[in-house]
Amino acid sequence: SECRQPQSFDDLIDDTLAALRFLGAQPGIDASRLVIVGHGEGGYLGMCLLSQKEGAAVGLVTINTSGRTLGKMVREEFHARMQEEGLTPAQIKPVLARTERIMRQMAYGVANLSSENLDPANRYDAELLRRMSQHPMVVGLLVNDPLQIISSVRIPILLLQGEKDVRVTLRDVGFLEESLSRTNHPDFAVRTFPEMDHWMKANPGSPSFASEEDSTRPFEKGLIPAILEWWATHFADRPRR
């Protein structure tokens, strides 16, 4: 919002709020019918913003957003990827132990973990290094429970999930759905897409990390219509400001 790089997760929230206010002030835009649509961590960002400032938008749509903290998500993604690559339990165990140790330290506020001697040429070490370089922005993802956050958002919510997502799975949208049900949320819906992967692409084959590398796959054709249908049902008939 001020043409500077965000330095913390709160900066991302502030930028999102500023973007909504800017959009709502434009001619021809009705701010009373704006919703936040967020993919992955963007859905988490939308949850956090609306849990603090519910009036910032009238609805929230999450797409393939995790119901787990970042540490759990990264550890379980590494495990699944290594199994897909054919690594043995003996090879997997030390990687997971190091991942758990690093994520725990980051959650405690430790940003400098050079003693781990991570190798940027290694896929898993490179991902850990990337997360470490983003420490001020990802620490919130490590310590805050998305289930508690989404349960405090009381405006209409649409949860969208790809059934062939190997990173954020049907289990995650189940966690989010259960949290909303448990807190008697007044208006939420869940929709899944049988062929959609994490990147919102159609995958006619078996779900895998390897299949995600095919950039020629088409966008999931049912995703945008589903969002527009939900928006129209909830907000199209609202009087314009």
Side-chain angles (χ1 to χ4, degrees):
S1 59
E2 299 176 358
C3 297
R4 60 181 177 83
Q5 288 295 318
Q7 301 299 311
S8 68
F9 193 78
D10 284 344
D11 286 347
L12 295 177
I13 293 176
D14 290 343
D15 281 353
T16 305
L17 181 59
L20 285 166
R21 288 173 173 167
F22 175 81
L23 184 61
Q26 301 311 300
I29 299 296
D30 184 357
S32 68
R33 294 194 281 185
L34 287 177
V35 303
I36 294 176
V37 180
H39 168 259
E41 292 174 11
Y44 176 83
L45 177 61
M47 291 181 207
C48 291
L49 169 59
L50 292 169
S51 70
Q52 298 174 21
K53 299 182 182 295
E54 191 165 284
V58 295
L60 171 66
V61 180
T62 68
I63 307 170
N64 296 342
T65 293
S66 178
R68 295 162 288 159
T69 58
L70 181 64
K72 291 180 180 178
M73 182 179 171
V74 170
R75 185 184 185 281
E76 291 174 17
E77 180 182 324
F78 280 10
H79 193 188
R81 185 186 286 275
M82 287 186 287
Q83 287 183 318
E84 181 180 307
E85 293 173 350
L87 273 66
T88 66
Q91 292 171 310
I92 292 173
K93 185 176 180 179
V95 178
L96 296 183
R98 181 171 58 196
T99 301
E100 180 73 23
R101 184 170 63 248
I102 289 174
M103 288 293 169
R104 187 184 307 115
Q105 289 299 306
M106 288 178 63
Y108 290 158
V110 179
N112 184 353
L113 293 164
S114 56
S115 60
E116 292 288 346
N117 296 316
L118 299 177
D119 178 7
N122 177 281
R123 179 200 297 271
Y124 303 100
D125 285 1
E127 175 62 16
L128 291 172
L129 287 167
R130 184 178 74 85
R131 294 294 186 177
M132 288 160 61
S133 71
Q134 301 171 337
H135 182 263
M137 287 182 287
V138 303
V139 66
L141 296 167
L142 290 165
V143 300
N144 296 321
D145 184 355
L147 303 184
Q148 291 183 349
I149 294 170
I150 199 170
S151 67
S152 67
V153 179
R154 309 308 288 177
I155 57 178
I157 297 175
L158 175 62
L159 307 173
L160 302 177
Q161 179 64 45
E163 295 183 22
K164 291 190 176 178
D165 188 345
V166 293
R167 301 168 186 265
V168 177
T169 68
L170 288 170
R171 187 170 54 127
D172 286 285
V173 76
F175 290 154
L176 297 172
E177 179 181 12
E178 181 182 358
S179 179
L180 293 171
S181 295
R182 190 170 57 246
T183 55
N184 297 311
H185 190 281
D187 187 349
F188 75 94
V190 179
R191 182 164 177 180
T192 65
F193 299 86
E195 301 294 298
M196 189 172 80
D197 72 2
H198 185 69
W199 305 115
M200 300 173 288
K201 296 288 192 77
N203 177 14
S206 299
S208 67
F209 291 97
S211 67
E212 293 182 348
E213 297 177 6
D214 179 7
S215 61
T216 65
R217 291 175 298 111
F219 191 78
E220 168 56 53
K221 63 182 180 180
L223 185 62
I224 299 302
I227 296 172
L228 293 176
E229 178 185 355
W230 174 82
W231 180 89
T233 300
H234 284 79
F235 310 113
D237 293 336
R238 284 193 175 191
R240 295 183 63 87
R241 284 184 179 178

